[in-house]
Amino acid sequence: MAKAPHPAPPRPATPQAPAVPVRMASAVAPSTAQVTEPSTGARNIVRSLEEAGVESIFGMPGGAILPTYDPLYDSTKLRHILVRHEQGAGHAATGYAAATGRVGVCMATSGPGATNLITALADAHMDSVPVVAITGQVGAAMIGTDAFQEADIVGATMPLTKHSFLVTDADEIPARIAEAFHIASTGRPGPVLVDIAKSAQQAGSTFSWPPQMDLPGYHPVTKPHARQVREAARLLATARRPVLYVGGGAIRSNASAELRRLVDLSGAAVVTTLMARGAVPDSHPQNLGMPGMHGTVAAVAALQQADLVVALGARFDDRVTGQLDSFAPKATIVHADIDPAEISKNRHADVPIVGDLKEVIADLVGELTAAQAQHGQPDLEAWWTQLDDLRQTYPLGWAPTEDGLMAPQHVISRLGEIVGPEAVYVSGVGQHQMWAAQFIRYEHPRTWLNSGGLGTMGYAVPAAMGAKVGRPDATVWAIDGDGCFQMTNQELATCALEGIPIKVALINNSSLGMVRQWQTLFYEGRYSHTDLHTGHETRHIPDFVKLAEAYGCVGLRCDSTADVDATIKRAMEIDDQPVVVDFVVSRDAMVWPMVAAGVSNDKIQYARGLTPAWDRDE
């Protein structure tokens, strides 16, 4: 059999049935001339990746994928980057894709090699990142026998990928790989796994490209329905308290230019979610910042007070909505998304629009121009007076620390100011992630990468590595916590040996910071197993400077506010080696504002015990 049976994906991939060129992995145009040549299954894999325009693969060899690594050795088009753990390969492929917009590729062997990819695939799935994972599998005759290093990776990844294939016929490898790239990069992007039996890799075959793809039922809808767009435009032209709720789909669809035109034309307030930072410049006067659990007071209040919410590539997730039945209670909802499964999944959409966001917004701009000609320009003066008052009264900030150690917010703020908006910032998960989203100003799309949906600790270092491979001319900073960093820091060896000079700002509070914050607020300060002992004691275990040096990187330490700027500038001067900066910061710093999990956004706290004042009954 060529393909394993696959139930309808949990997020129905709105599919497209084509014998059409694949949207390939690289900006390099794939070959369009028909190629047919003697081959093997293993060579089919390598040649398919070459023809798909792949330039970089993050992987680790092993027995079941070894036949493919032999012809890979001879490829002059593919750069293979040998990672130190397969999870690192998956996150690197995700970082590459998120930073470039092209499909990221990772490769692993069967059994534990493939299962080590699962966290990264789940992460890419939650955040709609296009990734193709190639895994080896035991020989076809041994499948189902509990053979050495056998695992049903197709079955294991079905709920965590956009699609998964099992290939046992060498002749079908080019078509399956072409289909994988097409599925990963069209409709709602996501990860696709291609599991290839070792026997298929070893078998003789004929390589033919481009192949005929067989994807019945896969028809992504890209063009929005004109009537729905027209109604959305009418609502936007006549609303008095409109908000554009912009999600990560604006980044994935490369819709920032169209979005900017809509923002300017509509005059509406804009909020950009954690996954959408940079979709609208932070410097734009209508951008209120990030909404949700740790969003700005103005952004949260705008959604709660809005009479119209236009959701663009957002999914009304719990970290934005808080208590769902109290979210935006006065608002009519327009919801535009490429994935029909997201429409009305959490919040009923009064005007549902299915389509590629780039096309949706372009059409909406045209219809809004016509609607404004009919209804006149909306009077938003009172709305902006209210929002500007909230912005001025409740700006983002932080209090001085009480233990004499540095404020992590200050470190991250200075990093953003010194390094600037042209760099790529890649975050781990936790307090440092929220501070990086709050205190660095993002002016461009694809300059902020993080694990938003799955919240994967260990994401930052390998994802930064992938981003740097995809954008070698950009400065790439990983902003990581001491807990996250210890999960995947072995990829620093990969960076040092492969000439990938990322920079790591290690926000070292000697604890699992976000967990500790919740223990402070909700568990009476009972700090159960959250102290890491990495920086506040006499000994540093581990000593991150020595660890960086052991991995062939430059290690720096900063424990004084007076030295922050000079340390960052020193790191910026080094461009031929990875750099790790151990910033020793206070463990008592907290992320504010905050909406506690499961409560209404109306109960947002600006600081502990301080609820902002606005008229909830307006």
Side-chain angles (χ1 to χ4, degrees), residues 515-525 527 590 608:
V515 182
R516 181 184 172 88
Q517 175 167 334
W518 281 47
Q519 288 173 332
T520 300
L521 297 175
F522 309 122
Y523 294 90
E524 300 177 344
Y527 300 118
M590 293 195 200
R608 192 172 186 180

Side-chain angles (χ1 to χ4, degrees), residues 396-401 404-419 431-432 434-436 438-440 479 505 507 558-568 583-586 589-590:
L396 290 173
W398 63 88
T401 63
L405 295 172
M406 295 191 298
Q409 303 95 321
H410 172 77
V411 172
I412 292 172
S413 176
R414 291 303 299 151
L415 181 70
E417 290 169 7
I418 292 169
V419 175
Q431 289 180 313
H432 61 279
M434 295 299 104
W435 290 320
Q438 291 176 331
F439 293 107
I440 295 175
I479 301 173
I507 308 302
C558 177
D559 55 15
S560 168
T561 301
D563 295 333
V564 168
D565 286 17
T567 305
I568 294 171
F583 289 103
V584 182
V585 301
S586 174
M590 293 195 200

Side-chain angles (χ1 to χ4, degrees), residues 413-488:
S413 176
R414 291 303 299 151
L415 181 70
E417 290 169 7
I418 292 169
V419 175
E422 304 302 320
V424 177
Y425 301 91
V426 186
S427 172
V429 169
Q431 289 180 313
H432 61 279
Q433 175 189 25
M434 295 299 104
W435 290 320
Q438 291 176 331
F439 293 107
I440 295 175
R441 295 178 65 81
Y442 299 97
E443 298 295 311
H444 311 290
R446 302 192 186 278
T447 55
W448 163 245
L449 280 56
N450 79 120
S451 173
L454 196 63
T456 306
M457 293 177 68
Y459 171 88
V461 170
M465 175 174 70
K468 184 66 174 176
V469 170
R471 295 173 60 179
D473 295 333
T475 298
V476 177
W477 275 90
I479 301 173
D480 217 357
D482 45 319
C484 293
F485 181 71
Q486 292 186 78
M487 294 188 175
T488 51

Side-chain angles (χ1 to χ4, degrees), residues 177-502:
I177 290 179
E179 289 164 3
F181 277 92
H182 183 74
I183 293 170
S185 60
T186 55
R188 180 177 185 167
V192 178
L193 179 129
V194 185
D195 192 37
I196 305 173
K198 187 174 183 178
S199 54
Q201 298 173 54
Q202 293 172 323
S205 181
T206 299
F207 176 72
S208 180
W209 192 275
Q212 183 79 16
M213 292 191 286
D214 179 23
L215 294 171
Y218 183 68
H219 303 284
V221 175
T222 60
K223 185 66 177 174
H225 195 290
R227 183 182 300 172
Q228 300 297 90
V229 175
R230 194 173 304 118
E231 176 61 10
R234 183 190 69 79
L235 290 169
L236 194 52
T238 56
R240 292 297 175 262
R241 298 190 302 278
V243 177
L244 302 180
Y245 162 30
V246 179
I251 304 285
R252 300 289 179 254
S253 62
N254 297 311
S256 292
E258 291 79 5
L259 179 59
R260 176 65 182 268
R261 288 193 285 273
L262 178 63
V263 170
D264 291 340
L265 179 64
S266 69
V270 184
V271 299
T272 52
T273 68
L274 181 67
M275 297 305 300
R277 305 291 287 118
V280 176
D282 278 345
S283 59
H284 195 288
Q286 290 163 238
N287 190 347
L288 300 179
M290 186 172 68
M293 177 175 279
H294 293 296
T296 67
V297 171
V300 171
L303 288 168
Q304 292 302 98
Q305 295 295 304
D307 63 0
L308 175 68
V309 171
V310 180
L312 301 169
R315 55 189 180 86
F316 292 89
D317 71 283
D318 61 294
R319 286 303 202 240
V320 168
T321 66
Q323 183 180 325
L324 186 59
D325 61 9
S326 68
F327 175 72
K330 306 175 180 68
T332 298
I333 302 295
V334 174
H335 192 179
D337 203 283
I338 187 69
D339 185 355
E342 288 296 341
I343 304 293
S344 295
K345 183 179 78 174
N346 293 329
R347 172 68 181 263
H348 173 74
D350 299 289
V351 181
I353 303 174
V354 177
D356 185 285
L357 207 59
K358 192 178 183 73
E359 295 190 42
V360 170
I361 297 176
D363 289 358
L364 184 54
V365 167
E367 292 293 347
L368 181 58
T369 301
Q372 288 179 345
Q374 178 182 352
H375 298 286
Q377 293 286 337
D379 180 6
L380 304 180
E381 183 178 356
W383 180 227
W384 276 109
T385 297
Q386 179 184 353
L387 296 178
D388 285 340
D389 180 64
L390 287 169
R391 274 203 284 206
Q392 293 166 13
T393 305
Y394 302 106
L396 290 173
W398 63 88
T401 63
E402 297 180 1
D403 57 10
L405 295 172
M406 295 191 298
Q409 303 95 321
H410 172 77
V411 172
I412 292 172
S413 176
R414 291 303 299 151
L415 181 70
E417 290 169 7
I418 292 169
V419 175
E422 304 302 320
V424 177
Y425 301 91
V426 186
S427 172
V429 169
Q431 289 180 313
H432 61 279
Q433 175 189 25
M434 295 299 104
W435 290 320
Q438 291 176 331
F439 293 107
I440 295 175
R441 295 178 65 81
Y442 299 97
E443 298 295 311
H444 311 290
R446 302 192 186 278
T447 55
W448 163 245
L449 280 56
N450 79 120
S451 173
L454 196 63
T456 306
M457 293 177 68
Y459 171 88
V461 170
M465 175 174 70
K468 184 66 174 176
V469 170
R471 295 173 60 179
D473 295 333
T475 298
V476 177
W477 275 90
I479 301 173
D480 217 357
D482 45 319
C484 293
F485 181 71
Q486 292 186 78
M487 294 188 175
T488 51
N489 61 37
Q490 67 270 23
E491 299 309 334
L492 289 174
T494 308
C495 291
L497 291 169
E498 293 282 349
I500 306 169
I502 67 168

Side-chain angles (χ1 to χ4, degrees), residues 104-125:
V105 181
C106 55
M107 187 176 289
T109 192
S110 64
T115 59
N116 280 344
L117 286 176
I118 286 179
T119 295
L121 293 176
D123 182 272
H125 187 50

